[in-house]
Amino acid sequence: MEPTVLRVPRGPRVPSLRVLATYVVLLTTFTLGSLLGSQLYGQIHASGRDLGHIAVGAVATAVVLAVYPRLLWVALMRRVGKRHRAALIALVLVCFGLVMILGQQWAMALTAPAGLFAVLFTARTGSVAAAAMALAAVTFGLIKDWPLIPTLFVGGYILATTFSGAVTVWFCHVVEELRQARAELAGAAVGEERLRFARDLHDVLGHSLQAVALRAELAERMIDRDPGRVAKELVEIQGIARGAVKDVREIVRGYRATSLRTELAGMTAVLHAAGIRCETPVIPPDLPVHVHEAFGWVARESVTNVLRHSTATWCLLTVWSDDGRVHLEIANDGAGRLHGGAPGSGLAGLTERIEKVGGRFTAASVGDGTFRVAAEVPLEVSA
């Protein structure tokens, strides 16, 4: 029989807030450095160059590139304090001083503090500050007889940079909140399954144990007056206890050794609740009990490790049979982003379980951030 394969498209990998913040800080600092560096290069190689102006440009560029990344980092990591807002005000003064001394060609330096207004202050305060800076830059340009269109462009770019900075930081925070929500959903899904088992166990054992307690109490009261009745009650207690043991075994058997189809359906539901894309595969018909039980253990342990030890975005399930053997593969893209240590030690115990029925089991990273669990067992177990 040909394998049943479900192709799940890879989605974008969501980095942690620290990784995302590092990327944003490096990218924006590089862009800002390129902008200021090109102006400084032009200042150095201009005809009739002024060493004083070159020194002012170099010092101001160094200050901007030293202060800006730090302020953006604390905004992304939500660690803004009064000293950071004071540093932003100082950065505004440095950039304005740079424009006033060196002229219009350095006006784009004003975008450095503009991009931080709405993230170091409140949105309203940042918007007012950006509008005030844009108005001041345009007014200063008109006083200095700068060309009208470039001057207006500087004011518009200051406002656009403020909006862009606010959206960028907001987006990073939303991504982090979604990651936290996903972790909470995963924990809730596991907790719900535990509660389900606890409810089933309570429903079965509660009545039986109450009956045992009542009959034991009755036997205690009758022990001196009616030994025959006591013996009868003890027989009844034994019967109830054996029935309770049988019921518990049935619950555990249904919980631990259900059909592979049920296990994979439950696995898919739990992964969906955790925000991981997964589809239930088609199961070959008429699989023997030992296949269901062995693969059921593999499915349960795999979903546990995906939820607890990785930040996978998709999980691919594949089941097929050929040449008298049944194969199960479970792959996810969380191998490159494991958290909480290596995959769970329960994977090691699966090897022994699968080998007991004459099968083979492997679990390892296969490159490109993919972790693959593969198991195969024969359709018939030799005596």
Side-chain angles (χ1 to χ4, degrees), residues 36-373:
L36 298 179
S38 63
Q39 295 299 329
L40 182 61
Y41 180 84
Q43 190 82 42
I44 293 173
H45 292 81
S47 58
R49 58 186 179 180
D50 187 320
L51 294 180
H53 285 183
I54 293 174
V56 170
V59 171
T61 299
V63 170
V64 171
L65 295 181
V67 176
Y68 175 84
R70 175 60 181 170
L71 295 182
L72 180 57
W73 177 265
V74 298
L76 288 167
M77 302 306 293
R78 295 176 171 172
R79 300 173 184 171
V80 178
K82 293 182 178 180
R83 67 181 186 277
H84 302 119
R85 298 187 178 97
L88 177 57
I89 295 174
L91 187 61
V92 171
L93 297 177
V94 169
C95 292
F96 257 118
L98 181 63
V99 174
M100 295 174 66
I101 296 173
L102 301 184
Q104 181 184 5
Q105 64 271 25
W106 288 87
M108 297 305 290
L110 296 174
T111 60
L116 299 172
F117 281 144
V119 296
L120 292 183
F121 297 102
T122 63
R124 176 177 297 181
T125 302
S127 300
V128 172
M133 174 180 277
L135 180 61
V138 172
T139 302
F140 180 79
L142 295 177
I143 292 174
K144 290 294 185 178
D145 292 327
W146 292 353
L148 178 61
I149 299 302
T151 301
L152 295 177
F153 177 79
V154 169
Y157 202 75
I158 288 173
L159 297 176
T161 304
T162 301
F163 176 77
S164 176
V167 169
T168 299
V169 174
W170 171 82
F171 175 77
C172 293
H173 290 165
V174 168
V175 169
E176 179 62 17
E177 290 170 4
L178 288 175
R179 286 168 53 86
Q180 294 175 358
R182 172 183 167 183
E184 292 174 1
L185 282 174
V190 174
E192 181 63 26
E193 181 64 13
R194 290 175 177 172
L195 287 175
R196 184 193 70 80
F197 179 71
R199 286 194 298 267
D200 291 346
L201 194 62
H202 174 270
D203 292 343
V204 169
L205 282 183
H207 175 75
S208 298
L209 293 178
Q210 184 68 20
V212 167
L214 291 175
R215 288 183 175 273
E217 183 179 350
L218 177 61
E220 182 183 14
R221 291 199 302 265
M222 302 291 295
I223 192 169
D224 294 328
R225 292 178 294 174
D226 192 348
R229 178 69 181 274
V230 170
K232 182 179 179 181
E233 292 297 331
L234 289 177
V235 171
E236 292 292 335
I237 289 174
Q238 290 178 4
I240 295 173
R242 290 193 181 98
V245 170
K246 180 181 178 181
D247 290 339
V248 171
R249 287 174 177 170
E250 290 296 328
I251 292 177
V252 173
R253 184 177 297 111
Y255 184 74
R256 293 185 174 178
T258 185
S259 71
L260 179 59
R261 181 175 292 101
T262 302
E263 286 293 338
L264 294 180
M267 178 180 179
T268 303
V270 171
L271 292 176
H272 280 172
I276 301 173
R277 295 193 310 279
C278 185
E279 299 295 337
T280 305
V282 177
I283 307 300
D286 302 325
L287 293 178
V289 174
H290 73 274
V291 173
H292 283 279
E293 182 162 356
F295 283 177
W297 279 102
V298 174
R300 279 189 292 270
E301 188 62 34
S302 296
V303 70
T304 299
N305 281 294
V306 169
L307 294 175
R308 293 182 178 177
H309 301 288
S310 81
T311 54
T313 61
W314 59 263
C315 187
L316 176 62
L317 310 178
T318 310
V319 182
W320 75 95
S321 61
D322 59 8
D323 297 330
R325 301 181 74 84
V326 187
H327 303 261
L328 169 65
E329 289 188 3
I330 303 174
N332 69 83
D333 65 337
R337 306 181 303 285
L338 294 174
H339 60 75
S345 59
L347 291 177
L350 291 178
T351 302
E352 181 179 352
R353 291 182 178 275
I354 298 300
E355 289 179 349
K356 282 183 178 180
V357 292
R360 291 194 297 267
F361 175 82
T362 59
S365 175
V366 294
D368 192 27
T370 301
F371 191 84
R372 174 176 170 272
V373 172

